[in-house]
């Protein structure tokens, strides 16, 4: 089985995937940089039309690629109503520039790539483009899951910061404001407080611009409404907070990696506050403690929930963020990640996440037998 990776060659995602292919005795995967694809997607036609599997990896963590996506999305952003970044604008390290514009550029690139790949009928692309698009649109994800009967967080329509604050008072609960195309908790704000509202956010605003923060910061007073208005202009989904269960006194949720519709890996993500992303100060919890708290019926219900997500959003692999309610008897899908398989130091049946993904594509009988978590 020949593999072709569309990714950022310097990124550890690509390195780990290539290592996994070597470990399974497969030929060295070819890697085509996103930077080259963003300039000219037809570069793929330099490869012969012979059987191979094409993997789309994340475009993130590469400043050159982000600049190229911003340039591709510039025209569409002019009619969207979001922040518009002029092509060639230099981005500081960690700076947030035009998330919606970059996403519009990504969508444009996906459209062109889909046409190019259609010219290689012997190639297999096990990540449907429609699923990737849906996973980068939190509204589309929630709508697809709700239609399939999968529980999701309830959204409230808000167009302005004042509407968010009014909705917060009406609900009497925190509201999560999420830019629909963002990932890794970028551009996230959790609005709390009645008479003195504030937001816990990953967005740090300075005189030099907006930046992703590696620690959750508090925004209040006259800085709150401008920040929320900016998030809403970028296209945000506003969700009512769902209470989270605790393990060992700490909040937690789950990242479940589904491969070809079957849950294969589970990570317990814990935090002292409701935002559990590991790069924001969270930590991995005890999976055995989770199974003990859920019991056999809860465990089965969780795995069935994740299988239902895989049916609603068919894809080679998906990273699913699942909330466990207090009482450990209810679940809610928070997000679904098209590239949510970076779970280092995790193994199942002797394979890491990338090895398990590759093995799941091998002809029946040639790959290792995998066990559900």
């Amino acid at each position: 089985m020949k593999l072709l990776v569309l990714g950022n060659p310097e990124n550890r995602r690509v390195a780990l995937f290539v290592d996994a292919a070597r470990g399974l005795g497969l030929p060295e995967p070819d890697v085509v940089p996103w930077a080259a694809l963003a300039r000219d997607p037809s570069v793929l036609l330099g490869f012969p039309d012979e059987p191979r599997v094409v993997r789309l990896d994340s475009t993130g963590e590469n400043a050159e690629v982000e600049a190229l996506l911003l340039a591709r999305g510039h025209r569409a952003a002019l009619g969207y109503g979001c922040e518009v970044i002029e092509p060639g604008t230099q981005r500081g390290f960690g700076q947030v520039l035009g998330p919606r514009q970059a996403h519009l550029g990504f969508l444009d690139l996906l459209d062109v790539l889909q046409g190019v790949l259609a010219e290689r009928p012997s190639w297999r692309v096990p990540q449907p483009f429609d699923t990737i698009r849906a996973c980068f649109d939190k509204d589309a994800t929630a709508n697809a899951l709700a239609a399939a009967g999968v529980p999701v967080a309830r959204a409230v329509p808000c167009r302005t910061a004042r509407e968010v604050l009014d909705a917060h008072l009406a609900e009497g609960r925190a509201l999560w404001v999420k830019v629909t195309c963002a990932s890794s908790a970028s551009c996230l704000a959790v609005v709390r407080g009645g008479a003195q509202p504030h937001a816990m956010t990953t967005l740090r605003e300075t005189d030099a611009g907006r930046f992703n923060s590696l620690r959750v910061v508090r925004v209040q007073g006259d800085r709150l409404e401008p920040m929320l208005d900016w998030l809403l202009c970028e296209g945000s989904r506003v969700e009512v907070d769902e209470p989270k269960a605790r393990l060992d006194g700490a909040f937690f949720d789950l990242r479940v990696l589904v491969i070809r519709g079957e849950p294969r890996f589970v990570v317990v993500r814990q935090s002292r506050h409701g935002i559990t992303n590991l790069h924001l100060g969270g930590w991995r919890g005890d999976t055995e403690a989770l199974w003990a708290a859920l019991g056999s019926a809860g465990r089965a219900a969780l795995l069935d929930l994740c299988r239902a997500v895989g049916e609603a959003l068919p894809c080679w692999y998906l990273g699913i963020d699942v909330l466990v309610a207090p009482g450990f008897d209810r679940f809610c899908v928070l997000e679904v990640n098209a590239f949510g398989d970076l779970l280092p130091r995790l193994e199942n049946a002797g394979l890491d996440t990338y090895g398990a993904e590759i093995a799941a594509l091998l002809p029946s009988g040639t790959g290792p037998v995998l066990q559900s978590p």
Side-chain angles (χ1 to χ4, degrees), residues 88-104:
T89 301
Q90 296 298 308
R91 182 178 73 97
F93 180 75
Q95 188 174 6
V96 177
L97 282 181
R100 178 58 57 181
Q101 180 175 329
H103 179 64
L104 292 169

Side-chain angles (χ1 to χ4, degrees), residues 330-349:
R330 291 185 302 107
F331 306 97
C332 171
V333 174
L334 299 173
E335 298 193 23
V336 181
N337 305 271
F339 306 126
D341 57 351
L342 181 60
L343 303 173
R345 304 182 307 282
L346 201 63
E347 288 192 354
N348 185 354

Side-chain angles (χ1 to χ4, degrees), residues 114-130:
Q114 191 168 7
V116 170
L117 289 169
E119 298 185 41
R120 289 291 181 264
S122 66
W123 293 6
R124 180 183 177 193
V125 186
Q127 297 155 282
F129 282 84
D130 285 346

Side-chain angles (χ1 to χ4, degrees), residues 355-368:
E357 289 164 5
I358 296 169
L361 295 179
L362 294 172
S364 178
T366 63

